[in-house]
mmCIF file of all heavy atoms in Angstrom:
data_model
loop_
_atom_site.group_PDB
_atom_site.id
_atom_site.type_symbol
_atom_site.label_atom_id
_atom_site.label_comp_id
_atom_site.label_asym_id
_atom_site.label_seq_id
_atom_site.Cartn_x
_atom_site.Cartn_y
_atom_site.Cartn_z
ATOM 1 N N GLU A 139 -8.346 3.137 7.888
ATOM 2 C CA GLU A 139 -8.507 3.230 9.335
ATOM 3 C C GLU A 139 -9.763 4.050 9.651
ATOM 4 O O GLU A 139 -10.252 4.789 8.801
ATOM 5 C CB GLU A 139 -7.262 3.895 9.946
ATOM 6 C CG GLU A 139 -5.997 3.070 9.787
ATOM 7 C CD GLU A 139 -4.764 3.755 10.357
ATOM 8 O OE1 GLU A 139 -4.854 4.960 10.698
ATOM 9 O OE2 GLU A 139 -3.722 3.103 10.461
ATOM 10 N N PRO A 140 -10.355 3.908 10.856
ATOM 11 C CA PRO A 140 -9.767 3.273 12.043
ATOM 12 C C PRO A 140 -10.021 1.766 12.159
ATOM 13 O O PRO A 140 -9.455 1.131 13.038
ATOM 14 C CB PRO A 140 -10.462 4.007 13.182
ATOM 15 C CG PRO A 140 -11.805 4.352 12.626
ATOM 16 C CD PRO A 140 -11.580 4.650 11.173
ATOM 17 N N ASP A 141 -10.876 1.208 11.302
ATOM 18 C CA ASP A 141 -11.177 -0.224 11.402
ATOM 19 C C ASP A 141 -11.005 -0.884 10.037
ATOM 20 O O ASP A 141 -12.000 -1.279 9.403
ATOM 21 C CB ASP A 141 -12.604 -0.443 11.923
ATOM 22 C CG ASP A 141 -12.807 0.124 13.306
ATOM 23 O OD1 ASP A 141 -12.041 -0.271 14.204
ATOM 24 O OD2 ASP A 141 -13.717 0.957 13.494
ATOM 25 N N PRO A 142 -9.772 -1.017 9.560
ATOM 26 C CA PRO A 142 -9.562 -1.616 8.234
ATOM 27 C C PRO A 142 -10.003 -3.074 8.203
ATOM 28 O O PRO A 142 -9.824 -3.807 9.176
ATOM 29 C CB PRO A 142 -8.054 -1.487 8.026
ATOM 30 C CG PRO A 142 -7.475 -1.372 9.395
ATOM 31 C CD PRO A 142 -8.502 -0.652 10.215
ATOM 32 N N LEU A 143 -10.606 -3.463 7.094
ATOM 33 C CA LEU A 143 -11.095 -4.825 6.907
ATOM 34 C C LEU A 143 -10.205 -5.525 5.893
ATOM 35 O O LEU A 143 -9.918 -4.989 4.829
ATOM 36 C CB LEU A 143 -12.541 -4.789 6.401
ATOM 37 C CG LEU A 143 -13.287 -6.115 6.290
ATOM 38 C CD1 LEU A 143 -13.421 -6.780 7.651
ATOM 39 C CD2 LEU A 143 -14.672 -5.878 5.675
ATOM 40 N N GLU A 144 -9.776 -6.721 6.221
ATOM 41 C CA GLU A 144 -8.898 -7.463 5.336
ATOM 42 C C GLU A 144 -9.689 -8.497 4.529
ATOM 43 O O GLU A 144 -10.626 -9.109 5.045
ATOM 44 C CB GLU A 144 -7.804 -8.173 6.142
ATOM 45 C CG GLU A 144 -6.785 -7.219 6.770
ATOM 46 C CD GLU A 144 -6.047 -6.398 5.731
ATOM 47 O OE1 GLU A 144 -5.735 -6.929 4.647
ATOM 48 O OE2 GLU A 144 -5.791 -5.204 5.995
ATOM 49 N N PRO A 145 -9.331 -8.701 3.267
ATOM 50 C CA PRO A 145 -9.974 -9.738 2.453
ATOM 51 C C PRO A 145 -9.698 -11.122 3.032
ATOM 52 O O PRO A 145 -8.728 -11.288 3.787
ATOM 53 C CB PRO A 145 -9.290 -9.569 1.088
ATOM 54 C CG PRO A 145 -8.684 -8.202 1.108
ATOM 55 C CD PRO A 145 -8.312 -7.946 2.529
ATOM 56 N N PRO A 146 -10.549 -12.091 2.710
ATOM 57 C CA PRO A 146 -11.667 -12.009 1.752
ATOM 58 C C PRO A 146 -12.961 -11.547 2.431
ATOM 59 O O PRO A 146 -13.250 -11.939 3.561
ATOM 60 C CB PRO A 146 -11.796 -13.455 1.274
ATOM 61 C CG PRO A 146 -11.374 -14.267 2.463
ATOM 62 C CD PRO A 146 -10.294 -13.481 3.154
ATOM 63 N N PHE A 147 -13.724 -10.710 1.737
ATOM 64 C CA PHE A 147 -15.028 -10.298 2.255
ATOM 65 C C PHE A 147 -15.956 -9.951 1.097
ATOM 66 O O PHE A 147 -15.519 -9.705 -0.025
ATOM 67 C CB PHE A 147 -14.903 -9.119 3.229
ATOM 68 C CG PHE A 147 -14.325 -7.855 2.642
ATOM 69 C CD1 PHE A 147 -15.120 -6.939 1.972
ATOM 70 C CD2 PHE A 147 -12.968 -7.572 2.792
ATOM 71 C CE1 PHE A 147 -14.587 -5.760 1.457
ATOM 72 C CE2 PHE A 147 -12.417 -6.396 2.282
ATOM 73 C CZ PHE A 147 -13.237 -5.495 1.616
ATOM 74 N N VAL A 148 -17.240 -9.976 1.398
ATOM 75 C CA VAL A 148 -18.268 -9.541 0.457
ATOM 76 C C VAL A 148 -18.651 -8.116 0.814
ATOM 77 O O VAL A 148 -18.855 -7.802 1.990
ATOM 78 C CB VAL A 148 -19.514 -10.447 0.513
ATOM 79 C CG1 VAL A 148 -20.649 -9.846 -0.302
ATOM 80 C CG2 VAL A 148 -19.187 -11.824 -0.015
ATOM 81 N N CYS A 149 -18.747 -7.256 -0.183
ATOM 82 C CA CYS A 149 -19.142 -5.864 0.048
ATOM 83 C C CYS A 149 -20.426 -5.561 -0.716
ATOM 84 O O CYS A 149 -20.490 -5.728 -1.932
ATOM 85 C CB CYS A 149 -18.033 -4.912 -0.393
ATOM 86 S SG CYS A 149 -18.424 -3.164 -0.105
ATOM 87 N N LEU A 150 -21.446 -5.136 0.019
ATOM 88 C CA LEU A 150 -22.694 -4.682 -0.592
ATOM 89 C C LEU A 150 -22.663 -3.164 -0.666
ATOM 90 O O LEU A 150 -22.599 -2.487 0.363
ATOM 91 C CB LEU A 150 -23.900 -5.137 0.225
ATOM 92 C CG LEU A 150 -25.253 -4.556 -0.199
ATOM 93 C CD1 LEU A 150 -25.631 -4.988 -1.615
ATOM 94 C CD2 LEU A 150 -26.352 -4.951 0.789
ATOM 95 N N VAL A 151 -22.680 -2.624 -1.879
ATOM 96 C CA VAL A 151 -22.746 -1.178 -2.095
ATOM 97 C C VAL A 151 -24.172 -0.845 -2.514
ATOM 98 O O VAL A 151 -24.635 -1.296 -3.565
ATOM 99 C CB VAL A 151 -21.756 -0.724 -3.189
ATOM 100 C CG1 VAL A 151 -21.915 0.764 -3.470
ATOM 101 C CG2 VAL A 151 -20.328 -1.032 -2.764
ATOM 102 N N ALA A 152 -24.859 -0.087 -1.674
ATOM 103 C CA ALA A 152 -26.246 0.303 -1.970
ATOM 104 C C ALA A 152 -26.340 1.813 -1.818
ATOM 105 O O ALA A 152 -26.368 2.332 -0.698
ATOM 106 C CB ALA A 152 -27.217 -0.401 -1.030
ATOM 107 N N SER A 153 -26.371 2.526 -2.946
ATOM 108 C CA SER A 153 -26.392 3.983 -2.921
ATOM 109 C C SER A 153 -27.494 4.492 -3.830
ATOM 110 O O SER A 153 -28.277 3.717 -4.378
ATOM 111 C CB SER A 153 -25.032 4.525 -3.371
ATOM 112 O OG SER A 153 -24.791 4.213 -4.723
ATOM 113 N N GLY A 154 -27.543 5.822 -3.989
ATOM 114 C CA GLY A 154 -28.581 6.407 -4.818
ATOM 115 C C GLY A 154 -28.528 5.961 -6.256
ATOM 116 O O GLY A 154 -29.557 5.758 -6.903
ATOM 117 N N GLY A 155 -27.321 5.767 -6.792
ATOM 118 C CA GLY A 155 -27.192 5.434 -8.204
ATOM 119 C C GLY A 155 -26.700 4.042 -8.506
ATOM 120 O O GLY A 155 -26.673 3.645 -9.671
ATOM 121 N N HIS A 156 -26.314 3.281 -7.466
ATOM 122 C CA HIS A 156 -25.680 1.985 -7.724
ATOM 123 C C HIS A 156 -26.080 0.963 -6.659
ATOM 124 O O HIS A 156 -26.227 1.296 -5.485
ATOM 125 C CB HIS A 156 -24.152 2.121 -7.731
ATOM 126 C CG HIS A 156 -23.662 3.250 -8.581
ATOM 127 N ND1 HIS A 156 -23.583 3.163 -9.957
ATOM 128 C CD2 HIS A 156 -23.271 4.501 -8.263
ATOM 129 C CE1 HIS A 156 -23.156 4.306 -10.437
ATOM 130 N NE2 HIS A 156 -22.948 5.135 -9.434
ATOM 131 N N THR A 157 -26.266 -0.269 -7.094
ATOM 132 C CA THR A 157 -26.420 -1.394 -6.174
ATOM 133 C C THR A 157 -25.537 -2.509 -6.701
ATOM 134 O O THR A 157 -25.717 -2.985 -7.823
ATOM 135 C CB THR A 157 -27.885 -1.854 -6.077
ATOM 136 O OG1 THR A 157 -28.705 -0.751 -5.681
ATOM 137 C CG2 THR A 157 -28.026 -2.956 -5.038
ATOM 138 N N LEU A 158 -24.566 -2.911 -5.884
ATOM 139 C CA LEU A 158 -23.508 -3.813 -6.337
ATOM 140 C C LEU A 158 -23.137 -4.759 -5.216
ATOM 141 O O LEU A 158 -23.051 -4.366 -4.057
ATOM 142 C CB LEU A 158 -22.273 -2.997 -6.740
ATOM 143 C CG LEU A 158 -20.972 -3.761 -7.034
ATOM 144 C CD1 LEU A 158 -21.058 -4.438 -8.390
ATOM 145 C CD2 LEU A 158 -19.778 -2.812 -6.979
ATOM 146 N N LEU A 159 -22.921 -6.019 -5.591
ATOM 147 C CA LEU A 159 -22.417 -7.023 -4.653
ATOM 148 C C LEU A 159 -21.038 -7.428 -5.153
ATOM 149 O O LEU A 159 -20.901 -7.977 -6.244
ATOM 150 C CB LEU A 159 -23.359 -8.215 -4.609
ATOM 151 C CG LEU A 159 -23.344 -9.114 -3.380
ATOM 152 C CD1 LEU A 159 -23.556 -8.317 -2.109
ATOM 153 C CD2 LEU A 159 -24.424 -10.181 -3.511
ATOM 154 N N ALA A 160 -19.991 -7.123 -4.356
ATOM 155 C CA ALA A 160 -18.611 -7.338 -4.786
ATOM 156 C C ALA A 160 -17.938 -8.394 -3.922
ATOM 157 O O ALA A 160 -18.067 -8.381 -2.701
ATOM 158 C CB ALA A 160 -17.825 -6.034 -4.706
ATOM 159 N N GLY A 161 -17.198 -9.290 -4.571
ATOM 160 C CA GLY A 161 -16.383 -10.255 -3.860
ATOM 161 C C GLY A 161 -14.943 -9.772 -3.853
ATOM 162 O O GLY A 161 -14.335 -9.596 -4.910
ATOM 163 N N VAL A 162 -14.393 -9.533 -2.664
ATOM 164 C CA VAL A 162 -13.055 -8.952 -2.533
ATOM 165 C C VAL A 162 -12.101 -10.007 -1.989
ATOM 166 O O VAL A 162 -12.232 -10.444 -0.843
ATOM 167 C CB VAL A 162 -13.073 -7.726 -1.593
ATOM 168 C CG1 VAL A 162 -11.708 -7.050 -1.561
ATOM 169 C CG2 VAL A 162 -14.149 -6.737 -2.023
ATOM 170 N N ARG A 163 -11.146 -10.405 -2.808
ATOM 171 C CA ARG A 163 -10.179 -11.427 -2.394
ATOM 172 C C ARG A 163 -8.800 -10.859 -2.092
ATOM 173 O O ARG A 163 -7.984 -11.497 -1.442
ATOM 174 C CB ARG A 163 -10.069 -12.502 -3.477
ATOM 175 C CG ARG A 163 -11.333 -13.328 -3.643
ATOM 176 C CD ARG A 163 -11.131 -14.475 -4.606
ATOM 177 N NE ARG A 163 -12.290 -15.353 -4.630
ATOM 178 C CZ ARG A 163 -13.369 -15.173 -5.373
ATOM 179 N NH1 ARG A 163 -13.435 -14.119 -6.167
ATOM 180 N NH2 ARG A 163 -14.379 -16.015 -5.327
ATOM 181 N N ASP A 164 -8.515 -9.640 -2.593
ATOM 182 C CA ASP A 164 -7.245 -8.985 -2.287
ATOM 183 C C ASP A 164 -7.439 -7.486 -2.455
ATOM 184 O O ASP A 164 -8.539 -7.013 -2.753
ATOM 185 C CB ASP A 164 -6.120 -9.502 -3.187
ATOM 186 C CG ASP A 164 -6.445 -9.403 -4.663
ATOM 187 O OD1 ASP A 164 -6.881 -8.309 -5.101
ATOM 188 O OD2 ASP A 164 -6.286 -10.399 -5.385
ATOM 189 N N HIS A 165 -6.358 -6.714 -2.269
ATOM 190 C CA HIS A 165 -6.456 -5.261 -2.301
ATOM 191 C C HIS A 165 -6.482 -4.685 -3.713
ATOM 192 O O HIS A 165 -6.711 -3.484 -3.886
ATOM 193 C CB HIS A 165 -5.287 -4.642 -1.528
ATOM 194 C CG HIS A 165 -5.323 -4.867 -0.060
ATOM 195 N ND1 HIS A 165 -4.764 -5.984 0.539
ATOM 196 C CD2 HIS A 165 -5.863 -4.146 0.941
ATOM 197 C CE1 HIS A 165 -4.939 -5.921 1.834
ATOM 198 N NE2 HIS A 165 -5.616 -4.821 2.124
ATOM 199 N N SER A 166 -6.252 -5.489 -4.721
ATOM 200 C CA SER A 166 -6.079 -4.962 -6.073
ATOM 201 C C SER A 166 -7.385 -4.729 -6.824
ATOM 202 O O SER A 166 -7.399 -4.030 -7.833
ATOM 203 C CB SER A 166 -5.196 -5.910 -6.889
ATOM 204 O OG SER A 166 -5.833 -7.169 -7.057
ATOM 205 N N GLY A 167 -8.479 -5.308 -6.369
ATOM 206 C CA GLY A 167 -9.740 -5.152 -7.086
ATOM 207 C C GLY A 167 -10.822 -6.014 -6.488
ATOM 208 O O GLY A 167 -10.721 -6.457 -5.345
ATOM 209 N N PHE A 168 -11.873 -6.251 -7.270
ATOM 210 C CA PHE A 168 -12.971 -7.081 -6.782
ATOM 211 C C PHE A 168 -13.667 -7.762 -7.953
ATOM 212 O O PHE A 168 -13.546 -7.341 -9.102
ATOM 213 C CB PHE A 168 -13.974 -6.252 -5.971
ATOM 214 C CG PHE A 168 -14.634 -5.129 -6.744
ATOM 215 C CD1 PHE A 168 -15.749 -5.355 -7.541
ATOM 216 C CD2 PHE A 168 -14.135 -3.838 -6.664
ATOM 217 C CE1 PHE A 168 -16.349 -4.331 -8.243
ATOM 218 C CE2 PHE A 168 -14.731 -2.797 -7.372
ATOM 219 C CZ PHE A 168 -15.838 -3.046 -8.158
ATOM 220 N N GLU A 169 -14.405 -8.799 -7.621
ATOM 221 C CA GLU A 169 -15.219 -9.516 -8.594
ATOM 222 C C GLU A 169 -16.672 -9.078 -8.425
ATOM 223 O O GLU A 169 -17.181 -9.028 -7.307
ATOM 224 C CB GLU A 169 -15.113 -11.024 -8.353
ATOM 225 C CG GLU A 169 -16.052 -11.869 -9.197
ATOM 226 C CD GLU A 169 -16.100 -13.317 -8.744
ATOM 227 O OE1 GLU A 169 -15.367 -13.679 -7.795
ATOM 228 O OE2 GLU A 169 -16.888 -14.088 -9.349
ATOM 229 N N VAL A 170 -17.322 -8.723 -9.523
ATOM 230 C CA VAL A 170 -18.739 -8.367 -9.464
ATOM 231 C C VAL A 170 -19.561 -9.642 -9.343
ATOM 232 O O VAL A 170 -19.642 -10.437 -10.291
ATOM 233 C CB VAL A 170 -19.167 -7.559 -10.702
ATOM 234 C CG1 VAL A 170 -20.671 -7.290 -10.657
ATOM 235 C CG2 VAL A 170 -18.397 -6.249 -10.788
ATOM 236 N N LEU A 171 -20.159 -9.847 -8.182
ATOM 237 C CA LEU A 171 -20.996 -11.019 -7.956
ATOM 238 C C LEU A 171 -22.424 -10.775 -8.435
ATOM 239 O O LEU A 171 -23.082 -11.691 -8.927
ATOM 240 C CB LEU A 171 -21.008 -11.376 -6.461
ATOM 241 C CG LEU A 171 -19.648 -11.634 -5.810
ATOM 242 C CD1 LEU A 171 -19.823 -11.896 -4.318
ATOM 243 C CD2 LEU A 171 -18.944 -12.807 -6.479
ATOM 244 N N GLY A 172 -22.881 -9.555 -8.278
ATOM 245 C CA GLY A 172 -24.231 -9.194 -8.702
ATOM 246 C C GLY A 172 -24.359 -7.689 -8.766
ATOM 247 O O GLY A 172 -23.636 -6.960 -8.089
ATOM 248 N N GLN A 173 -25.291 -7.205 -9.606
ATOM 249 C CA GLN A 173 -25.528 -5.771 -9.717
ATOM 250 C C GLN A 173 -26.961 -5.541 -10.177
ATOM 251 O O GLN A 173 -27.648 -6.475 -10.607
ATOM 252 C CB GLN A 173 -24.551 -5.133 -10.688
ATOM 253 C CG GLN A 173 -24.568 -5.732 -12.082
ATOM 254 C CD GLN A 173 -23.415 -5.228 -12.925
ATOM 255 O OE1 GLN A 173 -22.941 -4.112 -12.761
ATOM 256 N NE2 GLN A 173 -22.930 -6.062 -13.838
ATOM 257 N N THR A 174 -27.411 -4.303 -10.083
ATOM 258 C CA THR A 174 -28.792 -4.028 -10.453
ATOM 259 C C THR A 174 -28.975 -4.122 -11.968
ATOM 260 O O THR A 174 -28.103 -3.715 -12.739
ATOM 261 C CB THR A 174 -29.237 -2.651 -9.947
ATOM 262 O OG1 THR A 174 -30.626 -2.469 -10.258
ATOM 263 C CG2 THR A 174 -28.437 -1.532 -10.559
ATOM 264 N N LEU A 175 -30.113 -4.663 -12.362
ATOM 265 C CA LEU A 175 -30.452 -4.773 -13.775
ATOM 266 C C LEU A 175 -31.218 -3.551 -14.266
ATOM 267 O O LEU A 175 -31.432 -3.399 -15.466
ATOM 268 C CB LEU A 175 -31.291 -6.039 -14.003
ATOM 269 C CG LEU A 175 -30.635 -7.351 -13.585
ATOM 270 C CD1 LEU A 175 -31.591 -8.516 -13.801
ATOM 271 C CD2 LEU A 175 -29.335 -7.581 -14.344
ATOM 272 N N ASP A 176 -31.645 -2.696 -13.340
ATOM 273 C CA ASP A 176 -32.397 -1.497 -13.712
ATOM 274 C C ASP A 176 -32.136 -0.386 -12.700
ATOM 275 O O ASP A 176 -31.072 0.196 -12.687
ATOM 276 C CB ASP A 176 -33.906 -1.801 -13.850
ATOM 277 C CG ASP A 176 -34.412 -2.756 -12.774
ATOM 278 O OD1 ASP A 176 -34.286 -2.429 -11.582
ATOM 279 O OD2 ASP A 176 -34.930 -3.835 -13.121
ATOM 280 N N ASP A 177 -33.098 -0.118 -11.822
ATOM 281 C CA ASP A 177 -32.931 0.939 -10.826
ATOM 282 C C ASP A 177 -32.029 0.480 -9.687
ATOM 283 O O ASP A 177 -31.970 -0.708 -9.359
ATOM 284 C CB ASP A 177 -34.289 1.337 -10.234
ATOM 285 C CG ASP A 177 -35.183 2.022 -11.245
ATOM 286 O OD1 ASP A 177 -34.661 2.448 -12.293
ATOM 287 O OD2 ASP A 177 -36.394 2.126 -10.994
ATOM 288 N N ALA A 178 -31.345 1.431 -9.064
ATOM 289 C CA ALA A 178 -30.602 1.156 -7.849
ATOM 290 C C ALA A 178 -31.558 1.228 -6.651
ATOM 291 O O ALA A 178 -32.639 1.816 -6.743
ATOM 292 C CB ALA A 178 -29.473 2.165 -7.677
ATOM 293 N N ALA A 179 -31.135 0.657 -5.532
ATOM 294 C CA ALA A 179 -31.977 0.672 -4.333
ATOM 295 C C ALA A 179 -32.271 2.101 -3.890
ATOM 296 O O ALA A 179 -33.415 2.450 -3.573
ATOM 297 C CB ALA A 179 -31.290 -0.108 -3.215
ATOM 298 N N GLY A 180 -31.239 2.937 -3.869
ATOM 299 C CA GLY A 180 -31.439 4.318 -3.451
ATOM 300 C C GLY A 180 -32.332 5.089 -4.399
ATOM 301 O O GLY A 180 -33.143 5.919 -3.980
ATOM 302 N N GLU A 181 -32.187 4.821 -5.692
ATOM 303 C CA GLU A 181 -33.042 5.471 -6.687
ATOM 304 C C GLU A 181 -34.498 5.071 -6.484
ATOM 305 O O GLU A 181 -35.412 5.907 -6.569
ATOM 306 C CB GLU A 181 -32.581 5.085 -8.092
ATOM 307 C CG GLU A 181 -33.368 5.726 -9.220
ATOM 308 C CD GLU A 181 -32.920 5.256 -10.583
ATOM 309 O OE1 GLU A 181 -31.979 4.446 -10.657
ATOM 310 O OE2 GLU A 181 -33.511 5.691 -11.579
ATOM 311 N N ALA A 182 -34.738 3.793 -6.182
ATOM 312 C CA ALA A 182 -36.099 3.328 -5.927
ATOM 313 C C ALA A 182 -36.685 4.000 -4.692
ATOM 314 O O ALA A 182 -37.857 4.396 -4.679
ATOM 315 C CB ALA A 182 -36.105 1.809 -5.752
ATOM 316 N N LEU A 183 -35.876 4.167 -3.660
ATOM 317 C CA LEU A 183 -36.346 4.838 -2.441
ATOM 318 C C LEU A 183 -36.641 6.305 -2.710
ATOM 319 O O LEU A 183 -37.638 6.846 -2.211
ATOM 320 C CB LEU A 183 -35.311 4.691 -1.330
ATOM 321 C CG LEU A 183 -35.178 3.285 -0.742
ATOM 322 C CD1 LEU A 183 -33.928 3.184 0.121
ATOM 323 C CD2 LEU A 183 -36.413 2.912 0.076
ATOM 324 N N ASP A 184 -35.812 6.965 -3.502
ATOM 325 C CA ASP A 184 -36.065 8.370 -3.848
ATOM 326 C C ASP A 184 -37.380 8.513 -4.611
ATOM 327 O O ASP A 184 -38.186 9.410 -4.327
ATOM 328 C CB ASP A 184 -34.920 8.931 -4.697
ATOM 329 C CG ASP A 184 -33.690 9.278 -3.881
ATOM 330 O OD1 ASP A 184 -33.812 9.414 -2.651
ATOM 331 O OD2 ASP A 184 -32.606 9.401 -4.475
ATOM 332 N N LYS A 185 -37.607 7.621 -5.578
ATOM 333 C CA LYS A 185 -38.831 7.705 -6.381
ATOM 334 C C LYS A 185 -40.051 7.298 -5.556
ATOM 335 O O LYS A 185 -41.140 7.846 -5.725
ATOM 336 C CB LYS A 185 -38.691 6.837 -7.625
ATOM 337 C CG LYS A 185 -37.664 7.390 -8.612
ATOM 338 C CD LYS A 185 -37.469 6.503 -9.828
ATOM 339 C CE LYS A 185 -36.468 7.117 -10.798
ATOM 340 N NZ LYS A 185 -36.199 6.247 -11.960
ATOM 341 N N GLY A 186 -39.857 6.327 -4.650
ATOM 342 C CA GLY A 186 -40.947 5.941 -3.764
ATOM 343 C C GLY A 186 -41.342 7.084 -2.849
ATOM 344 O O GLY A 186 -42.539 7.345 -2.634
ATOM 345 N N ALA A 187 -40.355 7.784 -2.313
ATOM 346 C CA ALA A 187 -40.638 8.931 -1.450
ATOM 347 C C ALA A 187 -41.362 10.032 -2.212
ATOM 348 O O ALA A 187 -42.253 10.704 -1.676
ATOM 349 C CB ALA A 187 -39.336 9.457 -0.859
ATOM 350 N N ARG A 188 -41.003 10.210 -3.484
ATOM 351 C CA ARG A 188 -41.671 11.220 -4.297
ATOM 352 C C ARG A 188 -43.138 10.846 -4.526
ATOM 353 O O ARG A 188 -44.025 11.701 -4.447
ATOM 354 C CB ARG A 188 -40.950 11.363 -5.637
ATOM 355 C CG ARG A 188 -41.387 12.575 -6.459
ATOM 356 C CD ARG A 188 -40.664 12.616 -7.789
ATOM 357 N NE ARG A 188 -39.228 12.452 -7.648
ATOM 358 C CZ ARG A 188 -38.397 12.197 -8.654
ATOM 359 N NH1 ARG A 188 -38.874 12.060 -9.881
ATOM 360 N NH2 ARG A 188 -37.109 12.061 -8.443
ATOM 361 N N LEU A 189 -43.405 9.561 -4.779
ATOM 362 C CA LEU A 189 -44.791 9.113 -4.960
ATOM 363 C C LEU A 189 -45.617 9.316 -3.699
ATOM 364 O O LEU A 189 -46.822 9.580 -3.768
ATOM 365 C CB LEU A 189 -44.814 7.626 -5.350
ATOM 366 C CG LEU A 189 -44.399 7.279 -6.783
ATOM 367 C CD1 LEU A 189 -44.246 5.771 -6.938
ATOM 368 C CD2 LEU A 189 -45.420 7.818 -7.777
ATOM 369 N N LEU A 190 -44.968 9.198 -2.545
ATOM 370 C CA LEU A 190 -45.668 9.342 -1.269
ATOM 371 C C LEU A 190 -45.596 10.766 -0.722
ATOM 372 O O LEU A 190 -46.066 11.023 0.393
ATOM 373 C CB LEU A 190 -45.080 8.367 -0.247
ATOM 374 C CG LEU A 190 -45.231 6.887 -0.582
ATOM 375 C CD1 LEU A 190 -44.510 6.022 0.444
ATOM 376 C CD2 LEU A 190 -46.705 6.493 -0.670
ATOM 377 N N ASP A 191 -45.001 11.678 -1.503
ATOM 378 C CA ASP A 191 -44.889 13.086 -1.125
ATOM 379 C C ASP A 191 -44.171 13.241 0.216
ATOM 380 O O ASP A 191 -44.617 13.977 1.102
ATOM 381 C CB ASP A 191 -46.275 13.732 -1.057
ATOM 382 C CG ASP A 191 -46.207 15.255 -1.072
ATOM 383 O OD1 ASP A 191 -45.208 15.798 -1.580
ATOM 384 O OD2 ASP A 191 -47.144 15.904 -0.558
ATOM 385 N N LEU A 192 -43.023 12.560 0.330
ATOM 386 C CA LEU A 192 -42.270 12.569 1.583
ATOM 387 C C LEU A 192 -41.012 13.425 1.519
ATOM 388 O O LEU A 192 -40.346 13.607 2.535
ATOM 389 C CB LEU A 192 -41.888 11.133 1.972
ATOM 390 C CG LEU A 192 -43.030 10.228 2.406
ATOM 391 C CD1 LEU A 192 -42.529 8.807 2.613
ATOM 392 C CD2 LEU A 192 -43.674 10.759 3.671
ATOM 393 N N GLY A 193 -40.664 13.928 0.346
ATOM 394 C CA GLY A 193 -39.485 14.778 0.249
ATOM 395 C C GLY A 193 -38.234 14.026 -0.156
ATOM 396 O O GLY A 193 -38.264 12.834 -0.457
ATOM 397 N N TYR A 194 -37.118 14.752 -0.142
ATOM 398 C CA TYR A 194 -35.822 14.244 -0.586
ATOM 399 C C TYR A 194 -34.777 14.594 0.462
ATOM 400 O O TYR A 194 -34.855 15.653 1.084
ATOM 401 C CB TYR A 194 -35.457 14.888 -1.941
ATOM 402 C CG TYR A 194 -34.082 14.535 -2.443
ATOM 403 C CD1 TYR A 194 -33.862 13.360 -3.137
ATOM 404 C CD2 TYR A 194 -33.000 15.381 -2.187
ATOM 405 C CE1 TYR A 194 -32.587 13.024 -3.577
ATOM 406 C CE2 TYR A 194 -31.733 15.055 -2.633
ATOM 407 C CZ TYR A 194 -31.533 13.885 -3.326
ATOM 408 O OH TYR A 194 -30.276 13.552 -3.754
#
Side-chain angles (χ1 to χ4, degrees):
E139 295 178 349
D141 298 304
L143 187 62
E144 291 300 322
F147 62 85
V148 171
C149 181
L150 172 63
V151 176
S153 66
H156 311 282
T157 303
L158 170 75
L159 203 54
V162 185
R163 293 187 173 85
D164 54 49
H165 292 88
S166 64
F168 61 84
E169 173 191 358
V170 176
L171 303 177
Q173 57 190 330
T174 184
L175 302 177
D176 40 59
D177 292 344
E181 182 183 359
L183 289 167
D184 282 342
K185 291 177 178 177
R188 191 182 311 167
L189 286 170
L190 297 175
D191 197 24
L192 291 174
Y194 175 84

